[in-house]
Amino acid sequence: MPLGIQQNNNFLHLTMDVWQDQIFFNETVYPAGHFAAELLNVPEETMRELITRGGAISHQVEALALARRGEFIKLLDVTRASLEKLLDALWHCPPYSLMDKGQEQHTLEVLFSPASHNDLLKPASPVREFFFRYLVAAFSIPLGIQHFAVAARYFEEGYLRRLKKRTETFFAMAAHDCFNSEWFWNTMCDLPVPDVEPFTITPDLRSSYVFARHPKQEKETVFVNRYFFDHAISFYIFDLMNGLQHGHAPSRCCGCGTYFLTTNGHMPKYCDGIAPQNNRMTCRQYGAMMRQKEQNKQHPVYRLFTTRTNTIRKHHQRGKISDELRNEALYVAENLRDKALMDNDYAASGYAHDMEQEAIYAQARARLAREDGP
């Protein structure tokens, strides 16, 4: 049996298999902490849509609970429309984005079909009980997602980002300091409906064991922890804490602002996604290039090059030299710079002399004269 099989993930229940520093969701492997980090990338407009739709459903639940038959049936169409819009937004959020949306739409078809009306109206009906559990989840899940996202961003920005090392010990100290901070809990209490799906470091879960094939040795069988969650926020909190235990934590890219998961002790600044500044590079490559450029500014060869080329541009702006001489002088300066970078002896002896302003102009005029000659 492969890891992550037969989990039966749906709107009301989430399941995660944990083995060493990996997690398995619907038979796919991820590093521990993956979903906690990925959730932080849900766009603000999606988050607002979730909260808006969930809030509408919470009011509809109250009305449905008190409604008589005729009014109840009328409210069903409005409630179903709200649920469908909620699902559209929720399926942009991991792990729901990896689940079978068609399965949930089929559940709606059955619950809201005319054939279910009588059962929905019976006070002790299991169908009615399931129906209201489904609606309660519909306005609770968005709040859980919002509350976790606020807590995790606060933790990353205020604590993880300041760490000198990214190891289990440093993560444990950061988590202790953050989640015992009065400022942190004041922030959480100021959120909308803080008592519904509140953030906690003791998530509500059930666990068991399953037996599965070793991910790398198919002939071997391993014990696997299977965790069951009835609350979305518990799923994310457990994934965050489990990731921290294994030295994995969310980090925010300095290039594109995307949150990504780090899985080693390095101090990351950039992710491996496409850089918004240059779509031919990753953020990591672009960051390395900019870092090199910053270092180059302090190099004596580059400092002299920058001084001379700035003067050439100023002379051109003031009309002291022509367009042709400007372009040729910049070309000469670039060649001298490259030669100095490749030849240490030249950089130490002849570079400064050749880079004198009049020497550059003399070389540039000589090149132009050769081009204009017969």
Side-chain angles (χ1 to χ4, degrees):
M1 182 172 96
L3 286 159
I5 198 172
Q6 298 176 349
Q7 289 184 337
N8 191 29
N9 291 301
N10 55 54
F11 193 66
L12 295 178
H13 307 287
L14 294 172
T15 309
M16 180 192 295
D17 289 352
V18 177
W19 184 75
Q20 296 184 356
D21 64 347
Q22 298 177 328
I23 58 175
F24 294 79
F25 187 85
N26 284 356
E27 300 186 45
T28 302
V29 61
Y30 304 93
H34 168 83
F35 291 111
E38 282 300 307
L39 186 74
L40 303 183
N41 293 318
V42 173
E44 278 299 318
E45 55 268 26
T46 300
M47 198 72 75
R48 285 194 296 269
E49 181 76 5
L50 284 171
I51 297 300
T52 299
R53 299 304 171 189
I57 292 170
S58 69
H59 294 301
Q60 289 157 8
V61 169
E62 296 179 17
L64 284 163
L66 301 173
R68 295 188 177 183
R69 184 181 183 88
E71 185 183 359
F72 186 96
I73 293 173
K74 287 181 181 178
L75 284 170
L76 286 178
D77 288 340
V78 178
T79 304
R80 177 172 180 172
S82 296
L83 278 168
E84 288 174 340
K85 290 176 181 177
L86 175 70
L87 289 179
D88 286 341
L90 186 60
W91 252 250
H92 288 91
C93 304
Y96 298 96
S97 54
L98 304 170
M99 289 160 50
D100 184 0
K101 186 179 179 183
Q103 175 182 318
E104 298 303 327
Q105 290 172 328
H106 176 71
T107 300
L108 296 187
E109 289 287 344
V110 174
L111 278 178
F112 288 89
S113 70
S116 299
H117 288 178
N118 287 335
D119 287 328
L120 290 175
L121 288 159
K122 291 178 183 177
S125 165
V127 176
R128 181 182 174 90
E129 180 185 348
F130 179 84
F131 175 73
F132 278 100
R133 279 180 56 214
Y134 201 88
L135 295 184
V136 169
F139 69 75
S140 298
I141 290 172
L143 289 171
I145 288 175
Q146 183 193 44
H147 293 170
F148 176 80
V150 170
R153 286 176 181 141
Y154 185 105
F155 180 43
E156 191 280 327
E157 182 176 351
Y159 292 83
L160 295 180
R161 203 175 295 182
R162 302 175 184 177
L163 294 180
K164 295 181 179 179
K165 294 182 180 179
R166 295 178 73 84
T167 63
E168 179 185 353
T169 296
F170 279 80
F171 288 152
M173 291 190 295
H176 174 271
D177 292 346
C178 178
F179 303 134
N180 283 283
S181 161
E182 183 178 351
W183 288 99
F184 172 79
W185 291 112
N186 286 340
T187 299
M188 300 311 295
C189 288
D190 288 339
L191 293 174
V193 202
D195 296 331
V196 177
E197 300 295 300
F199 181 88
T200 172
I201 58 171
T202 55
D204 184 20
L205 56 86
R206 292 170 287 117
S207 68
S208 181
Y209 285 96
V210 295
F211 308 100
R213 290 197 306 267
H214 192 291
K216 296 180 180 179
Q217 305 292 334
E218 290 192 1
K219 294 182 180 180
E220 296 184 12
T221 301
V222 294
F223 285 94
V224 179
N225 286 111
R226 175 162 286 187
Y227 294 92
F228 305 90
F229 306 90
D230 295 329
H231 302 274
I233 193 169
S234 294
F235 176 91
Y236 297 117
I237 293 169
F238 175 83
D239 190 39
L240 173 67
M241 297 299 180
N242 184 46
L244 295 176
Q245 181 185 4
H246 291 288
H248 302 178
S251 184
R252 194 161 190 257
C253 178
C254 295
C256 64
T258 298
Y259 287 90
F260 64 104
L261 188 70
T262 65
T263 55
N264 55 48
H266 295 156
M267 300 301 294
K269 287 188 176 182
Y270 301 95
C271 70
D272 288 321
I274 299 300
Q277 302 88 345
N278 186 331
N279 60 15
R280 292 175 295 179
M281 295 183 175
T282 66
C283 285
R284 195 180 302 278
Q285 291 169 333
Y286 184 81
M289 181 188 74
M290 296 306 294
R291 192 161 54 247
Q292 185 61 48
K293 283 187 175 181
E294 193 63 31
Q295 292 173 353
N296 289 344
K297 289 180 182 178
Q298 307 308 317
H299 194 289
V301 169
Y302 274 94
R303 283 206 303 268
L304 182 54
F305 170 78
T306 300
T307 300
R308 292 296 179 262
T309 53
N310 284 344
T311 301
I312 292 168
R313 292 186 179 93
K314 288 178 182 177
H315 285 177
H316 177 257
Q317 290 171 357
R318 294 169 183 170
K320 292 184 176 181
I321 60 175
S322 65
D323 294 346
E324 292 79 7
L325 184 56
R326 170 194 179 276
N327 294 338
E328 204 65 37
L330 291 175
Y331 176 81
V332 168
E334 288 170 1
N335 282 342
L336 294 173
R337 175 202 63 192
D338 294 343
K339 182 180 178 181
L341 290 172
M342 292 185 289
D343 186 341
N344 290 334
D345 290 338
Y346 173 70
S349 56
Y351 178 62
H353 175 269
D354 292 347
M355 282 291 281
E356 290 179 359
Q357 203 73 52
E358 288 307 318
I360 291 176
Y361 284 151
Q363 287 191 54
R365 291 188 181 100
R367 285 178 55 83
L368 288 172
R370 286 196 297 270
E371 291 175 3
D372 293 338

